[in-house]
Every structure is written in structure tokens, then in C-alpha cells.
Amino acid sequence: MTSLELQKLLDAVRAGTVDSASAAASITAAMRAAPFEDLGFARVDTHRELRQGFPEVILGLGKSPAQIAAIASRIISRRRPLLVTRAQPEAFDAVLEVAPAAKYHVEARAITLACGEVERGKGTIVIACAGTSDLHVAEEAAITADIMGNTIDRLYDVGVAGLHRILGEQNRLHDASVIIVVAGMEGALPSVVAGLVSVPVIAVPTSVGYGASFGGIAALLGMLNSCANGVAVVNIDNGFGAAAIASLINHG
Amino acid sequence: MTSLELQKLLDAVRAGTVDSASAAASITAAMRAAPFEDLGFARVDTHRELRQGFPEVILGLGKSPAQIAAIASRIISRRRPLLVTRAQPEAFDAVLEVAPAAKYHVEARAITLACGEVERGKGTIVIACAGTSDLHVAEEAAITADIMGNTIDRLYDVGVAGLHRILGEQNRLHDASVIIVVAGMEGALPSVVAGLVSVPVIAVPTSVGYGASFGGIAALLGMLNSCANGVAVVNIDNGFGAAAIASLINHG
Amino acid sequence: MTSLELQKLLDAVRAGTVDSASAAASITAAMRAAPFEDLGFARVDTHRELRQGFPEVILGLGKSPAQIAAIASRIISRRRPLLVTRAQPEAFDAVLEVAPAAKYHVEARAITLACGEVERGKGTIVIACAGTSDLHVAEEAAITADIMGNTIDRLYDVGVAGLHRILGEQNRLHDASVIIVVAGMEGALPSVVAGLVSVPVIAVPTSVGYGASFGGIAALLGMLNSCANGVAVVNIDNGFGAAAIASLINHG
Amino acid sequence: MTSLELQKLLDAVRAGTVDSASAAASITAAMRAAPFEDLGFARVDTHRELRQGFPEVILGLGKSPAQIAAIASRIISRRRPLLVTRAQPEAFDAVLEVAPAAKYHVEARAITLACGEVERGKGTIVIACAGTSDLHVAEEAAITADIMGNTIDRLYDVGVAGLHRILGEQNRLHDASVIIVVAGMEGALPSVVAGLVSVPVIAVPTSVGYGASFGGIAALLGMLNSCANGVAVVNIDNGFGAAAIASLINHG
Amino acid sequence: MTSLELQKLLDAVRAGTVDSASAAASITAAMRAAPFEDLGFARVDTHRELRQGFPEVILGLGKSPAQIAAIASRIISRRRPLLVTRAQPEAFDAVLEVAPAAKYHVEARAITLACGEVERGKGTIVIACAGTSDLHVAEEAAITADIMGNTIDRLYDVGVAGLHRILGEQNRLHDASVIIVVAGMEGALPSVVAGLVSVPVIAVPTSVGYGASFGGIAALLGMLNSCANGVAVVNIDNGFGAAAIASLINHG
Amino acid sequence: MTSLELQKLLDAVRAGTVDSASAAASITAAMRAAPFEDLGFARVDTHRELRQGFPEVILGLGKSPAQIAAIASRIISRRRPLLVTRAQPEAFDAVLEVAPAAKYHVEARAITLACGEVERGKGTIVIACAGTSDLHVAEEAAITADIMGNTIDRLYDVGVAGLHRILGEQNRLHDASVIIVVAGMEGALPSVVAGLVSVPVIAVPTSVGYGASFGGIAALLGMLNSCANGVAVVNIDNGFGAAAIASLINHG
Amino acid sequence: MTSLELQKLLDAVRAGTVDSASAAASITAAMRAAPFEDLGFARVDTHRELRQGFPEVILGLGKSPAQIAAIASRIISRRRPLLVTRAQPEAFDAVLEVAPAAKYHVEARAITLACGEVERGKGTIVIACAGTSDLHVAEEAAITADIMGNTIDRLYDVGVAGLHRILGEQNRLHDASVIIVVAGMEGALPSVVAGLVSVPVIAVPTSVGYGASFGGIAALLGMLNSCANGVAVVNIDNGFGAAAIASLINHG
Amino acid sequence: MTSLELQKLLDAVRAGTVDSASAAASITAAMRAAPFEDLGFARVDTHRELRQGFPEVILGLGKSPAQIAAIASRIISRRRPLLVTRAQPEAFDAVLEVAPAAKYHVEARAITLACGEVERGKGTIVIACAGTSDLHVAEEAAITADIMGNTIDRLYDVGVAGLHRILGEQNRLHDASVIIVVAGMEGALPSVVAGLVSVPVIAVPTSVGYGASFGGIAALLGMLNSCANGVAVVNIDNGFGAAAIASLINHG
């Protein structure tokens, strides 16, 4: 039982369409369910949605296709939306066997399967990225934000070397409730964007670059030291994490 | 003219208490004002509040008391709230001469002078810190969030070595609209907190620790790699920055 | 002659089942044996068990299958237990030719061949890991602790993002004589575990993660800076090393 | 009520010297006591001894003398042993006002006040250090191990540049139940010691050195990469932490 | 004899105002002069101006006031312009004794004494800095560029958090022959400036910032990874070095 | 319309060969053109040449062959010179389909297609490299400088271990208007070269080396700390960036 | 003409077996030879043996087989000994075509071809390594020292975890004129060896290890911080460099 | 009894000036002496001279004046030469009380007291430094080499920015048996020197510099990556260590 389902059940009770006794029975059953399922190699956190607003997401990195499929299978069996990030095509093949309707997003390297109703966020999440090479990360954020119930607006290849590209889109920036800014190399875009708006900016450094970019450290440090207010940072290439907190903000 | 003042003026026009002509005159005058004042060593960004919701804040670090006082003087003269962070007592002495009503917050090392009306945030910002040594940073966040119009709830010394201290305060965590978590050493508290709630967590690593804490790097890396969803990170010891984005979220 | 064999021999002398002369002869023979065998590319430390309680273990990394098999052959010929860590399947093939009864543990990437009697540790070593991706390292620790004569209890995928998973297993934690905690990403689990128990915690950072995990540095630094007492740390991904010191503690 | 007191109480019940009713009353009272005291800036973890075997220790670093004295006062009032590490002389002056019998250990920079009975460890903890400049850290370990109820044996200035100094003391090493090895510069001593014994070695890197010692990083990395088995590492200069885990091992 | 003097002499020969014999004598004398003067602790490079266009500059850092004054004395005695960077007031006091007309620039921490004619650069060097705290470095660049014969235009406190401050000064940027951009924190200003102009940009990272700015590393990496073309970088806080290469460009 | 074309048009107007009306029409048409073309995954910056003197260059790294070809196609369609750096052979195959006349420079890993007239630089750019292994980077610089309209002079394998190799080429160094110095390992060559000349030196560290060269960090730091004046540095292996700023200097 | 040949020629003159005129002719011819040969991509330093005692050695890393063979061909044509380090088998194939008598040393990854007489060093170079995995580097040192004219003594797998292995070989250590010590992981062996002898120790850190060995940084730092006197260090895995300086010492 | 004394004694026996019996008595007495003296905080290594050719040297860093004086007193009492490095003036005051004839070398920060005969090295040690700011380190090397029995030749301020300064001193370089090269900033001097000579070069990086010199890391890395043969490196600022190994080479 998700928090949205719980809320609807209680609304129904108040509206008189469900009687208290059967409502109580449903709630009790949900509470009795174990808070995790132990698969031996994994303990699926079945209460995460209640605590955090979205069911457990599978980070594909470092897990075998079989492990991913097994965990996915448990999530689907509870009829919750499925999201696997950092998924290789082999993982998708394995997931397809337990979830034939699942989709693979090549650019984002993510597997999704929408399921059940998800509460909609109140505004729009703008996802801006500095260059074409940042697309993998930006798309991971977009796919994540989408399945978590948010309206998204993509604004790609608007890096600071050609400022007019972002300055020309200020209207779209101002319409956002939260902005995710994805950038590699020197990672200057979040500072520029945050200086133009009055909404939270979630900065995602990417490993795009070479030499002294040190796999994204340059961009990460740049973003942590932003001279603009209203910027917070997630891990290098962590499009998922940026979307997760942006979704919480957009649902706040 | 702040965005709040602008909004009130337009409300008054709609309500008929102010006529269009004089409103137009006021707005025009504001628009004619230069978007910054050039003091030679500083260009005070007088439009920042319009763009970002709060006037320019003075980072005391690396500025002389005279420079700080001069910038403060320009902000006060426009009747905007004053906030100086990382302010030494000598800077406070200099500010007192241009702003006798200013206050110095010793623990937070901040100077403030409330002025004019600030739009109130909709919920509560919880500020949690792991240990007593993190107080400087937590208080900088608290003072900042306060002057930016937020209700705050302090939850101090609740580090993970004694989990019952934070587990016993889950109600206060659940009542927050956004949580700032301040921690040094291994910086594990944000992961634990974010695993318990469904609101955004802004993590602030502190330079508290020694040896392999490397001035806060250990905590910073820990927070960037949080296994919990809904965490974003600001610079080491940046209580101000955490409060700035938390305030934007709380005003969203 | 291992220390266990020596002790048994002396017990037999005291019990009168072995006469002093033949006991003295055995001991003298053992002492005459060279303390190492020189294979040219390797000097097998044949006295290590006497000094350290367990014969030399072969770190497979950086050694050719032929070199590994040659060293293994010398260990087996002295009838001591064999353990090869970081062993590729090719190394196992080579070892099989000199030790047909050897086993390969895929998850742990280890080759073992139990041989002779090993002194049993007095209690249980709990091996906890934070996530499914940490299994390689946790299993290396488990296989090592097992062959060194310890009872082990596996507690997998109990990371701090879902605290109830570890809090629900406190009984098993309290029953341990020493706990090995394996975690990547922010490496917060050892602090949480150590805060709950009064036994030594050996923390193993893993290279699980991406971006600012820097191949395990984030977890390593987090564990070194643990705010909880009773934690010591081994090298990144060093499941073997953790088990080696845990076994010494458990045999103390 | 500490675990030792609890055990004695139950022994007395079994022995018939205390009746069940009054024993039950005492235990109930102890359980009713809050698990922490909230001083505003600190939450003193009053249950830590029950969970971890020793009451909360005060890390003096980053706390004001007044804060240290206030926390110390709460610990003393519960009649538990007091230990403040990294204490400046000013902190000692402040503590003296609430605990006139407290002692200051200059070399260890620690404040202690023994109080009540502490369970004795079963063996001896050897504390070895490589050079005279490592004494601060070695003494912090010694003072800590002492107040936690351990017999200690100091073995100072036995660095590897003059191997005969440590080789000549092998008897003392073999008599230990656990060995703390403190070393700066290249930090080679723990590897050498661990190669000679069959007990756990807790290695403490120190910030002794200059240039490429990088404040102890060289020693830290050396110890983490020890080629000898049975070594685990604590933070740079963390004599306290080494003694805390050594004490747990020695009490196991 | 400087290259400018040499050129003038040859012009005079060609113009007939100086006869060949006396010109040859002057040139021979200059060539006979030793290419350096050995002061024991320093070898003053008396030919540097011939090779590099400006006489040796004294880096005050790490030299005693007496050493600085002694070297300065040798430069002045050859009637060349004097520049001491990173000079403490004590160094100025010592220099005053050998050069009573020398000036101390407090903000730039530099000592200068103009002497003889310096060839003028052909255009203007714009020196832009991001914040008030960057003034020390920007002024070191300005003083250096000035004494090397360049026209300079200061553009201070134009950081990217308030983009209109730099966008409003594009005319001054376009009039430059080379631009020095000084910035700390995330160091984004050079990318933004270089994206607007078609002249070389010399970027100077500063140590302004705290926490993850790591003494200027964040800004340095940001600038090295600039996505804009036409940017090259000098050492952290090296205002002098930026001006030296900018002057060469401006004299090209 | 490039700046060169604009200048020629205005010259023609002044010369009377073009009448004002048609000139105005041409200029207006150019200004009406959108400043970028949005390809979805990329926004081609069509005004970059006007602002920066050369059209947008494609960094091949991290872009798919199809993306590269699509952007290249847009640049060619505007009849501007094409440069793709860090291009794999697969990218060249894709580009060939839209630009059959394009050339692939194997050593430089670059694709070029000259098109239209490019303004010539006034002097010569010397490109010196320390060793044979630095050729990739030196050639990237050479190809870039060539297509940007510069005369180049290659001076390869002149590292400091055999000083006579560079000392014997001082004439060529003195004839340069700007020198690009490419070096890996300790990166000492720029300091030596800059000490010999009075023109700007652009230093390019390369990732050539092993061990403590750390992928070019050693060379990068060496160059940033050059004791010679007139040196500025670009990113590791960034031959393109060095040529881009050198070209601006040479066109200044 | 090498320095050895020059010396012999002069000896012959003194002995009267060669007359002065023909000796002068030979010397003049040698001096007339260009000090380097320019192959375009490489300038072979033909005078290096005169300056440094051994002809130019080819570092295979980063050079194509064709480039290596071309340089080798020039060295052989001057009848000097050939050494190629870091050579892949493909490079050996290419070299074989120009030097059919060349040998490939698999373990050392080196190509050699002895040619002409090399001056013999006066004593023995001991090459000790800590573990079997360090053999590649130790053998590179051995092959290099051998071709440079030194007697070598290999002492392999004598790491500090089993001290008796090195202590038992003290006689061989004392017979050395210089000792090369190769070690990875914590790199403690050079300190131990240097504490036992009174000859120079050249320490070579290797990249052997994992996790916090950071590709040899741990060993490098350990060796730089050696508490023993008489140790100097070369780059990680630089067996060649160690042998080169050891050979100079042994020829001194 | 030092090795020099031992050798002389044996010479005397062979020469018949000392009879075997009394020689045997002397040797036996020396062998009976403990190999170290235990002062509690220090174990003075009294056999170090026998093993390593020079008695134990006191590193003043991290030791109190009283500790330094106490160790010095023991060395003097055995009539061996005294050397204290990194000694503060306070340490000198304390040493003066036990050794009134000791000298303090301000520039080198060293205390010395020559005592007894030291074997002379066979050649000259040249000590070259790049700049005036490197004098502290160069002088530490000079004082150390001097007291260890070497002839030294100082060559100061010969950095690569003015190559003629070092090229003009090649004769002195060629006369050396070993060269110590001290340099900060980019640390290029050792490569240049080693390219000119055929003797070993010991490179000493210094912490001279700022910004990206990172306290000597830039120079250290540069030296480790030297493209010239015959270079080995000691710790940053370790003038003592360079002289110690140079002395061993010069005595070889």
C-alpha cells in the first residue's frame, strides 16, 4: 500500500464509499507485510515508498542480470513502478523475461515499467545540459523524473561558451519549479543559471572532458564552489539522484 | 523594489487602492535604477532580490572590515535585510558604525540586520547536526534561514554513533518541508535521515575531524555517495548555502 | 609442524601416550626444516603458520597461473590448507592440476583446499554487507574466515538507507565475537553497527560506487573517520585481510 | 547502571544477597532513565556504556572549554569514568572546576578521572611506537587503554631503521593479546610487527614527518597496504580509537 | 643595454646622429658585461631583458628583506625598472634604504620603481576580476602590466552570479588586445568572457574560497577545462605571471 | 557572414564597388539568421565566428559518429571550415558521407575540410615537442593552427635531456610570434624555451609517461609553476586549445 | 666514439702504438659528427654516450613499432648497444627486421642487443624485490644493469612480512656496492634494507597492490618518507631508471 | 668503536704496533656494549655507525629541546660527531648546555659538533640549487655532507629560466663525483643537469613556490618523471637525506 493509496482509502472512508471495518482490515494487512523481502543476496525494501514516496530503485551497476531480474520481479509482483538505472542491454534481456512490457531507454541506459498511479508533482522540472556529450546523464534524470510523476522540459546544449543559447531561454527557466543542470568540463552552467532564477538548482557534474577534468572532479568542485545562491550538488554522473531530489521538491 | 513589494503594488492596483498611473511611475523608477552600484572594489548587485528572491549577501571571508561596511551601507540604504557571513568581530565593529542596530551572532559568525518585510516560507526547515563541534555551521544555516523568512527547528548532536538520538525525533523530521543535515567526520547522518523521510535533504559536510577527514573531504565524499535518495550537497562548512537553497525550496 | 600439532604432541607427552625421545625427534626435525623454500620467483614462507597461526596465503593478483600453481603445490605438499585469493578461472585450472580436490568460489574469486586440522575460533564472526554489489568482497571474507576455522553468520544487503533491515537483526549482531562490515559508496554502515554493539568491528570499504566514490576512497575515508568507537579499517576490497584479523581476534 | 553493575546485581540475586523485588526496582529505574541528556548543544549518550562497554568519551577538538566542562559534569554526576581527549590546558582548567580530582596528561593531551569499577581486560596490550615524535599519539592510546581497564606495556622508539630494537623485544610482543603499533613517516613498523606475531595488530599512522608524508597520508597508505596479515588501521593520530578497539579485543 | 636602447642606438646610427665607431664601442661594452652577477646567494640575470624584454623581477616569497634589498640594489644600479612581488612591508623598508624613491602598493603587495624608458604595448589589457576578494591578485597583475609598459583597464567584481555586470561591459572587453580574468571559487568567469570576445584570455585562478575550493584548485581545474576557446591559465594567485604573458602578447 | 566577409563588404562599400543598399540588405539578412541551430541534441552556435573569429569546432570525444556528422553537416552547409578533434575513424566514415572532401589526419586524430577564406595570422607559430610520444598532441595543435590561418613551424623531439637539440634551434624560436610547447613527463621544456625568447609560450602538458606522471598531472603542475616568465598553460593533451589561443595571439 | 674508445685511443697514443696525427684525425671526425640525427618524429641524441656514459635508450611506451625500429636502426648503425624498455611483442617483431640478433626478455618487457665493449662497473648491484608480482620491474632493472656493464645479484621475494628471508641474506647485501630495492604495496623493504647496510639504496615503488595502493602511490610515499638513511627513489615501476643511476654509482 | 677505528686497530695489529690480546679485548668490549641505549622516550641506536657508516642523526622536528639535548648528550658521551637537523634556536640553547662547543647553522637550521675522525669521501659533492629561496635546503645538505667527511662545492641560484648560469659552470659539474640538485617550483633543474653529466644526480624537491606547487608536490613529481637518466629523488625539503646518500656514493 503506497501513501497515495492510503490517502485515497481514507478519503473514501470520509466520503462514506468505504466502511471503516474493511478499511481497517486493508491497512492492517499492509502493516503486517514484512518491511523487506530477503532474497539472500538482497533485501528488497518494501516499505521504502511509504517512507520516501517512491519504491526502491535498482542501481544496475555491479549487479548481475540475474540479480537485477530477481529484484525487479519482486517489485513488479507488488505492482509498483520499476526503474533500473545503469542497466546494460544484458540486464534488459533478463528483465524482459520477468517483465515483458518493460522498456529500455538507450541514451539513459535505464529500464522502466510504469505501474499503478503515481502522485503528480505540482510544477515543471527543467533539465538543462551544457553539451551533447552530457546527454546520457541528462536523459537518466529525465527518465527518472518522468516515472516519478513530474512534467519535464529538456533544454540541451546550452553551455556557457555561447551564452545567448541559455539567455534566450530564460522564460522556460522562470517557469520551472526546480531546475536540474547537467554539465561536465568546468561545470560553470549551474552558477550562470542559478544567477538568473529564484528556484532551487540541482547541479549534476558529469565525467565529460579529458585531462584535468579528472573524470568529473573539475566540474564537481566548480559546482560545490558556485558563487551563486540556491545550488546543491549530487554525485558525478548521478542523473538519477538529481531527479530524485528534484521530484521531492516538485512534490513538496 | 523587491518582488514582494511589486506583487503588493499590483495587488493594490487590482484592489483599486492605488491608481495605475502612480503604480506605473513607481515601477518605472525602479526599472531605471542601475542594476548594480559600482564601489570600485565591488559592484553591489541591486537587482539580485528581483532575480533570486533575496538581496545580495556579503561573504565576509577575504574582505576587509572597511569593504564589508561599505557594501553593507549600500544595502541598508536601500532598506533591504543585511546578512554578512564569515564575519570577524572587527568586521562587526566596522558595520556597527553604518548600522548601529546590527546584531552579531557569535556561534554563527554572522552579522544580521532585519529590514523590511520578507515573504514567509510555507513550512519548517529542520536543521540537524551530528555533533557539538558542528554548531558553527549549523548556526550559520539557522541564522540565514531565519532572516530569509523561514521557521526553523534545531536538532543538534544527533550523530549516528547513538542512533536512538535521531530515531527518537522522527516526528520532528516528518514535520519538516526540507531538512538541512550538518555533519563532519564520516558524514553518515544525511544518509540515515534521508532514509527515514520523504522530503529533500540538503547535506552540509563540515571540516570537523582530524587526520583522514582532510578538512571535510571525508564527509563531503560520504554525502555525495549517499545510498539514500533525496540528498544533495553543498560546499564544506557552507551553512549559508544550505539555508539559501532550503529557503528557496520552502518558499516554492 | 603447526602450533596446533605441537601443542597436541606436548599434550600426548604429558599424557604419556608419546615418549619424550620420539617427541624430541619430531620437534627437532621440524626445527631443522628451512624456514622458507626458494622457488626462484618466490620464497614460500614455511614458518608463517608457526609465527602467525595460518600458513602463507597466495594473493593471486599479479601472479601467473603457473606461478600460483607452483606455490600452491609446495603448500599442499606440506599438507597445509590452501587459500588463493583474487584468483582468475585460469589460475584455478592450473591449480587443479596439482590439487584436483581444490574448489573455486566464483563469487569470492577464491580457491580453497582444506587440509589437516585447524584450531576453531571461540565465537561467531558476523559478516554484514551494505548492498548486493558488495557480495564479492563479503564472500572473500567469508571463505577466508571459514577455512581459518571460524563459524560465520552472513547478514547481506543491510545498508543504512533502510535502517530497519539492520535494526531488525540486532540479536545476531549481539551474538558475534567480532563483526566484519563491508560497504561501498559512503561507507556508513560500520559506524551504525559499531554504535549498537560492544565487540570489535572490522570495516572493509569496497570499490562499489561511481563518480566521487573514487574507487572506494569515499568509503575508506568514511570508515577511518567513524564517530563510533571500536572500528578499525582494512584496505579497499580487502575481504581477506578483514577475515584474517577477525580470525585472530576470534581465536584470542 | 553499567553492564558490570547489572551483572553483579544479578549475581547477587542468584546468590541470595539481594532479593528479586529490590533488584527489579533498580533495573526498572535504570531503564526509565532517558537514554540521553539534552544540553542543547550536546546530547550526552547515557546508554553508551550499556551498548558499547564504556561511557561516552569527550573529543575535545572543536569544543569550547565550557562545553567540555558541561558535558564532563554530566558524566561525573552519573559516577562514570571521565576521559577527554585532545584537551587543551584551558579545557583542563574548566574541567577542574567541576571535577577537582581530574588529572591532565600533558604528553597525551588527555584529561581523566577514574570513577567506579571497570571490568579488567584478560591480557596485555602492547603499545609500540616507531620514534620519539610519535609519543603524543602512543600516550593517548596508553591513557585510554588504562582507564578502560587494560594492562599495558610500552615499547617506544623501535622503528625499522634499527631492526634490532624491535627484534630484541619479541618476548614482550609474544606476551601481548593485542598490539597497538604507532608510526609516522613511511609507517612500516606494523608490517614488521605483524609478521612476527599471531595476535591482532592495530596500526595507528601519525602525522609525524614532513614533505611527502602529507600529514600522515604516507603512513596511513602504508599501513592499509600492509603485506602482513592481521593488521587493521585507524585514523591518523587516533591513539584513542586504537585503544578503544584494542580494549574491546582484550575484553572479548 | 636593453633591446629598446639597442634599437634606438642603431636608429641613431642610421640617422647619422651617432657615428659607427662609438656605437660599436657601446655595443661591445654591453656584450662584455657578464650575463649575471653572482651575489653568493643569488645570480642576478643581467641579460634577461635582452632575452625576454623585461629585466629580472624579484619574487619576494621566501627571500629575506636583506636578500631582496641586495638584489634590488643591483638592478637599480644598472638603471633598470624594479619590481618586487609578494613583498612584505619589512621588505619594503629594506628596499627603501637602497631605493628611497620606491613605492609600495599595499593591495598588490608589490614594490616598484620605474626607471628608464619601457617600450609601450600596442593596445589595452583589460583586467577583470570576479569578486572583491580577488583584488590582491588583480592588482598584482595591474601593477605588473603597468610597469611593463601597458595601458590597463580594470573591471572588478563582475562575477557570473550577476551576469548583467559583465554583459554590460562588453564594449570594454571588445576594446582589449588581451584580457586577464581573475577568479576564485568555481572560476567560471574566464569561460564566459572568452565566449564573448575574439582576443586571448589569460585566466588566473585565485585561492579565494573555502572548503572544496582547496586553496584555488577548484578554480584552476575549472579554467583548465574551459569549454570556451582562447583561454590559457597561469598558477593560482599568479597575477604577475598573467601580466607578464599578457604584456608579451600586447607588445607582439 | 564572417567578420572577414563583413570587413570586405564594408571595404567594397567604401571603394564604391558595392552600393549601400545591397550591403545593408546582406548585413540585415545575416543578423536575422538565428544565432544557433537547434538539432535537439545540439545547438550549433552559428554566431561563434562573429564573436570569436572561427566557427564552432566539434570535440569528437563523447559524441556518436551520427551526432558528429549531423553537426558537421550544418557547419558545411553554411560554407564554413570544418574541424573535428578527437575523432575516431568511425566518425570520419560518417563525416565522409556528408562531406566527401573531408580529410582525416591520423596522427592528430582530426578531421578537416577547408572552406572559404580564413584571415591569415601575421607571423609564425612554432610548435615544439619534447619527445616522439608527444606527436599526437603536437599534430592536433598543428592541424588546428593550420586551418585557422597560421603559418606553422614544427620542432619535434627536442626535450631537455639533450639540451643541444633545442639550443641549436634558437633561430627558429626567435622567428616565432608565439610558441606552443608540448611535453609530458616532467614538462620542463616550456620553462627552458620561455627563458630563451621574448614571445608568449603556450604550454601543453601531455599524458605521456607512467607511474607518478599521473596521466599528465606532473607535467601540468610543472608548467603551472614555471620559473620562467611568459608561460600560460592549457589542459592536458589539449593541442587544440593551445592552437586556438596561439592563433588569436598571432592574429592580434 | 664513446668515452671508453676515446680513453683507449689516448692510452694508445701515450703508449706510442698510435701516432698523434691519426689520433687527432679520429677525434676530429667524431667531433664533426652531428650531435643528433633528425628522423622527423625523433632526434636521436648521438652524443648522449659521451655526455652520460651510455647511448640513448628507447622508451617503448607511446611509440609505434615502426618508430621504435627506425630509432633502433640508427643506434645499431653506429654500433652501439641497444636497449628498448616497455616494449610490446609487436615492437620486437619490428626491431627483429632491422636487428635479427636482438633478444626479447619477456618478464622484463625489454629488447636488447649487446654491441661493442662497455666499461665494467667495479662492484655488484644487488636487486632485491619484495614479492613475486614485482618481478617485471626487478627484471627490467636487471636487464638494464646487465647491458650497462654491471655484475648483478638477484634476491627475489624477500618482503618484510617474513623478515627472516631478508635477514638470512645479509651477506649478499653487504657485498653489494649499491642495492636496488623493488617493492609494491606498503613499500617497506627499502627502509629495512637501508637500515642494515652502508651502501646507497635505490628504491623502486611498483604498482603492485590494489585499493589504497593507488597504482603505487602508497609504496612511493613510503619510500620517500623512509626513516632509514641512504635511500633515494625513482618513479613507480621504473626499473630502468633505478638501474641507470645504480650503474653510474657502480662505475663511479 | 666505529668501523674506521676498527679498521685502524686491525691495521695496527697487522703492523705489529698493537698486540692481538689487547686488540681482542677492545673489540670484545665494543661488542658487549648494548646496541642501543634506552632513554624511555628514545632508544639511541649505538650500532648505527657500524652498520651504516655514520652515527644516528637527530631529526629535531617533533622533539622537545629537552629530548634533543638528552639524545645529543648520549651521542657526545660516546665521542661521536653530532648532527641535529630541523633544529629550532630553543633546541640549540638546550644542546649548548650539554655541548658548549656545538655550532648552530642558521640558514641550514642545523646543530653540529665535529668529534673524532671521519673517513673522507673520495671526490667532490656539488650542491646546486635553482633559486635563492632554496638555500635552507641546500645548506642543510651542505652541512650534512661536510660533517660526514665530504668535500663540497656550492653552485647556487642557477635555475633554468636563465640557462647560461648553469651552462657556464659545466666544468664544476664535470668535476663532481655526485651532484645534489635542489629546486622548487617546477623542479626542472635536475633533468637539465643530469643531461649534461655522467655522475649520479640526487634531486631534492623543495616546498618553495605557491599555488599549484602544493608545498613541493609539483617539483617532486617533476623530478620523479625526469626524462634524463641518472636521477633519483628524496623527500621534499630533505637536504639531509640527499647528503646522506650522496656521502655513501662518495665513500663507495
Side-chain angles (χ1 to χ4, degrees), chain H residues 91-182:
Chain H
F92 180 55
D93 293 343
V95 168
L96 270 187
E97 303 208 0
V98 301
K103 272 196 262 179
Y104 188 56
H105 307 260
V106 175
E107 194 78 57
R109 290 165 302 190
I111 300 166
T112 58
L113 181 55
C115 183
E117 195 178 355
V118 173
E119 196 180 337
R120 297 298 303 173
K122 62 190 171 185
T124 296
I125 300 178
V126 162
I127 301 174
C129 79
T132 300
S133 306
D134 300 314
L135 273 186
H136 290 301
V137 179
E139 278 300 301
E140 184 182 282
I143 297 302
T144 300
D146 179 58
I147 202 170
M148 286 180 171
N150 301 283
T151 303
I152 57 179
D153 181 17
R154 289 168 171 92
L155 207 51
Y156 288 174
D157 198 18
V158 292
V160 301
L163 265 187
H164 56 295
R165 295 180 298 191
I166 188 74
L167 294 179
E169 303 283 13
Q170 293 194 58
N171 284 346
R172 289 161 72 183
L173 295 177
H174 289 140
D175 287 350
S177 62
V178 51
I179 303 173
I180 294 172
V181 183
V182 179

Side-chain angles (χ1 to χ4, degrees), chain G residues 3 17 62 87 98 113 123 143 147 154 169 172 189 197 239 249:
Chain G
S3 54
T17 57
V98 300
L113 181 55
I143 297 302
I147 202 170
R154 289 169 171 91
E169 304 283 15
R172 287 162 73 184
L189 190 57
V197 300
I249 295 172

Side-chain angles (χ1 to χ4, degrees), chain E residues 126-150:
Chain E
V126 162
I127 301 174
C129 80
T132 300
S133 306
D134 300 313
L135 272 186
H136 290 301
V137 179
E139 277 300 302
E140 184 182 282
I143 296 302
T144 300
D146 179 57
I147 202 170
M148 286 181 170
N150 302 282

Side-chain angles (χ1 to χ4, degrees), chain E residues 153-245:
Chain E
D153 180 17
R154 289 168 171 90
L155 206 51
Y156 288 175
D157 199 18
V158 292
V160 301
L163 264 188
H164 56 294
R165 295 181 297 191
I166 188 75
L167 294 179
E169 303 283 13
Q170 293 195 58
N171 283 346
R172 287 161 73 183
L173 295 176
H174 288 141
D175 287 349
S177 62
V178 51
I179 303 174
I180 294 171
V181 182
V182 179
M185 304 178 101
E186 81 269 61
L189 190 56
S191 291
V192 166
V193 169
L196 297 170
V197 300
S198 60
V199 294
V201 169
I202 305 300
V204 193
T206 70
S207 53
V208 166
Y210 57 90
S213 90
F214 298 133
I217 294 181
L220 171 63
L221 294 185
M223 292 171 181
L224 285 169
N225 285 283
S226 176
C227 58
N229 297 341
V231 179
V233 186
V234 296
N235 194 5
I236 298 165
D237 290 338
N238 191 3
F240 163 74
I245 188 169

Side-chain angles (χ1 to χ4, degrees), chain A residues 48-55 57 122 148 174 193-202 220-221 224-236 238 240-241 244-245 248-249 252, chain B residues 48-55 57 122 148 174 193-202 220-221 224-236 238 240-241 244-245 248-249 252:
Chain A
R48 187 160 298 185
E49 188 166 12
L50 260 178
R51 292 196 324 274
Q52 295 216 275
F54 195 80
V57 171
K122 62 190 172 185
M148 286 181 171
H174 288 140
V193 169
L196 298 170
V197 300
S198 60
V199 295
V201 169
I202 305 300
L220 170 63
L221 295 185
L224 285 169
N225 285 284
S226 175
C227 59
N229 297 341
V231 179
V233 186
V234 297
N235 195 5
I236 297 166
N238 192 3
F240 162 73
I245 188 170
L248 289 179
I249 295 172
Chain B
R48 187 160 297 185
E49 188 166 13
L50 261 178
R51 290 196 324 274
Q52 295 215 277
F54 195 80
V57 170
K122 62 190 171 183
M148 286 181 170
H174 289 141
V193 168
L196 297 170
V197 299
S198 60
V199 294
V201 169
I202 305 300
L220 171 63
L221 294 185
L224 285 168
N225 285 283
S226 177
C227 59
N229 298 341
V231 179
V233 186
V234 296
N235 195 4
I236 298 165
N238 191 3
F240 163 74
I245 187 169
L248 288 179
I249 295 171

